[in-house]
Short mmCIF file of all heavy atoms in Angstrom, two decimals:
data_model
loop_
_atom_site.label_atom_id
_atom_site.label_comp_id
_atom_site.label_asym_id
_atom_site.label_seq_id
_atom_site.Cartn_x
_atom_site.Cartn_y
_atom_site.Cartn_z
N SER A 65 -4.07 33.23 4.30
CA SER A 65 -5.26 34.10 4.11
C SER A 65 -6.31 33.53 3.16
O SER A 65 -5.98 32.39 2.67
CB SER A 65 -4.82 35.49 3.47
OG SER A 65 -4.43 35.42 2.24
N LEU A 66 -7.48 34.23 2.93
CA LEU A 66 -8.38 33.75 2.09
C LEU A 66 -7.93 33.60 0.74
O LEU A 66 -8.16 32.57 -0.02
CB LEU A 66 -9.59 34.72 1.93
CG LEU A 66 -10.38 34.86 3.39
CD1 LEU A 66 -11.42 36.03 3.15
CD2 LEU A 66 -11.07 33.56 3.71
N LEU A 67 -7.04 34.53 0.18
CA LEU A 67 -6.56 34.36 -1.19
C LEU A 67 -5.50 33.29 -1.23
O LEU A 67 -5.47 32.58 -2.24
CB LEU A 67 -5.96 35.65 -1.60
CG LEU A 67 -6.85 36.88 -1.72
CD1 LEU A 67 -6.15 38.15 -2.16
CD2 LEU A 67 -8.02 36.60 -2.70
N ASP A 68 -4.73 33.12 -0.19
CA ASP A 68 -3.86 32.01 -0.24
C ASP A 68 -4.50 30.63 -0.23
O ASP A 68 -4.01 29.70 -0.88
CB ASP A 68 -2.82 32.04 1.08
CG ASP A 68 -1.86 33.16 1.01
OD1 ASP A 68 -1.44 33.51 -0.11
OD2 ASP A 68 -1.50 33.66 2.05
N THR A 69 -5.61 30.46 0.58
CA THR A 69 -6.36 29.32 0.55
C THR A 69 -6.83 29.09 -0.85
O THR A 69 -6.86 27.85 -1.12
CB THR A 69 -7.51 29.36 1.58
OG1 THR A 69 -7.13 29.69 2.87
CG2 THR A 69 -8.37 28.21 1.54
N GLU A 70 -7.34 29.97 -1.51
CA GLU A 70 -7.88 29.70 -2.86
C GLU A 70 -6.69 29.27 -3.81
O GLU A 70 -6.86 28.41 -4.79
CB GLU A 70 -8.56 30.95 -3.61
CG GLU A 70 -9.82 31.11 -2.87
CD GLU A 70 -10.73 29.92 -2.79
OE1 GLU A 70 -11.01 29.39 -3.82
OE2 GLU A 70 -11.22 29.65 -1.62
N ASP A 71 -5.43 29.79 -3.72
CA ASP A 71 -4.31 29.43 -4.38
C ASP A 71 -3.89 27.93 -4.14
O ASP A 71 -3.64 27.16 -5.02
CB ASP A 71 -3.05 30.33 -4.18
CG ASP A 71 -3.17 31.64 -4.81
OD1 ASP A 71 -4.10 31.81 -5.57
OD2 ASP A 71 -2.37 32.66 -4.41
N ALA A 72 -3.96 27.63 -2.89
CA ALA A 72 -3.66 26.25 -2.40
C ALA A 72 -4.74 25.18 -3.09
O ALA A 72 -4.43 24.13 -3.48
CB ALA A 72 -3.62 26.06 -0.95
N ARG A 73 -5.91 25.68 -2.96
CA ARG A 73 -7.15 24.80 -3.53
C ARG A 73 -6.88 24.61 -4.98
O ARG A 73 -7.10 23.44 -5.55
CB ARG A 73 -8.42 25.51 -3.15
CG ARG A 73 -9.65 24.57 -3.57
CD ARG A 73 -10.98 25.36 -3.37
NE ARG A 73 -11.11 26.06 -2.13
CZ ARG A 73 -11.46 25.57 -1.03
NH1 ARG A 73 -11.88 24.28 -0.91
NH2 ARG A 73 -11.51 26.29 0.03
N ASN A 74 -6.54 25.65 -5.70
CA ASN A 74 -6.22 25.61 -7.16
C ASN A 74 -5.22 24.61 -7.48
O ASN A 74 -5.24 23.81 -8.43
CB ASN A 74 -5.86 27.06 -7.62
CG ASN A 74 -5.76 27.05 -9.23
OD1 ASN A 74 -4.82 26.37 -9.71
ND2 ASN A 74 -6.58 27.83 -9.83
N VAL A 75 -3.98 24.69 -6.76
CA VAL A 75 -3.00 23.63 -6.98
C VAL A 75 -3.36 22.23 -6.57
O VAL A 75 -3.11 21.44 -7.42
CB VAL A 75 -1.78 24.13 -6.16
CG1 VAL A 75 -0.71 22.97 -6.16
CG2 VAL A 75 -1.16 25.46 -6.58
N ALA A 76 -4.11 22.08 -5.57
CA ALA A 76 -4.52 20.85 -5.14
C ALA A 76 -5.43 20.25 -6.27
O ALA A 76 -5.36 18.94 -6.75
CB ALA A 76 -5.31 20.76 -3.85
#
Side-chain angles (χ1 to χ4, degrees):
S65 68
L66 294 176
L67 298 183
D68 287 331
T69 299
E70 290 310 305
D71 287 346
R73 192 190 308 275
N74 184 296
V75 171

